[in-house]
Amino acid sequence: IGSGEYSNDTIMVYAKTTMVLALVCGVFFGGVLIVLRPVIFMISQLPADTIALAKQMLLVTGSSLFLRSLSNISIVGILRSGGDSNFSLFVDTTGLWLVGIPFGLVAAFVLHAPTVVVYASFVAEQFYKSVVCVFRVLSRKWIKNVTR
């Protein structure tokens, strides 16, 4: 970006395509994970209650994989590569310290929620990151000349 080889419109097409592919892959592999949950634990010697909890946690993981995929691709693959590393740092830091950890703490210590709900509360961080990153990418503010 910045060498003049690609126009900003072309860069945006690549960025949008990458985000759509991240979403599609996240939905697909999340679905595969959800479908394979029973098979994953067939050969294990774990107690039944441990397997039940692990299956619930895999359901949360599979259901939210598209968010993790979108946020990671947006932050690392698009924003950083476009020279917007300060914003990437901002989103990662605020997502963790202002969304993820507080939601987890409230779920665990205020609401006394079950383990799987506490785990699911951390998905709020990925939701926050995904929404903020989509708006940032669409704003084109991340496209900077990285050749200077």
Side-chain angles (χ1 to χ4, degrees):
I1 295 176
S3 67
E5 188 174 342
Y6 300 103
S7 69
N8 284 359
D9 291 335
T10 303
I11 292 167
M12 282 302 294
V13 168
Y14 289 160
K16 289 177 183 178
T17 302
T18 303
M19 290 187 336
V20 168
L21 286 172
L23 279 173
V24 169
C25 289
V27 168
F28 176 76
F29 288 110
V32 168
L33 185 61
I34 290 169
V35 169
L36 293 180
R37 282 181 310 141
V39 178
I40 292 171
F41 297 103
M42 286 180 125
I43 60 171
S44 70
Q45 300 296 322
L46 298 171
D49 57 337
T50 303
I51 291 174
L53 180 61
K55 284 181 181 179
Q56 290 175 341
M57 294 180 89
L58 282 177
L59 178 63
V60 171
T61 301
S63 300
S64 61
L65 195 58
F66 73 99
L67 288 172
R68 186 175 306 275
S69 177
L70 178 61
S71 66
N72 287 344
I73 289 295
S74 297
I75 292 169
V76 179
I78 298 172
L79 297 178
R80 284 186 193 167
S81 69
D84 206 6
S85 56
N86 286 336
F87 188 81
S88 298
L89 174 65
F90 170 80
V91 172
D92 270 336
T93 304
T94 57
L96 178 65
W97 290 104
L98 299 180
V99 181
I101 291 175
F103 274 53
L105 288 172
V106 168
F109 298 113
V110 175
L111 302 176
H112 304 287
T115 305
V116 71
V117 174
V118 173
Y119 180 64
S121 70
F122 285 102
V123 173
E125 175 186 354
Q126 297 303 322
F127 179 78
Y128 162 79
K129 287 179 179 181
S130 296
V131 170
V132 170
C133 287
V134 165
F135 281 111
R136 183 65 171 197
V137 169
L138 294 178
S139 77
R140 297 178 179 230
K141 292 179 184 176
W142 59 275
I143 302 174
K144 299 180 180 3
N145 185 342
V146 295
T147 61
R148 289 187 225 165

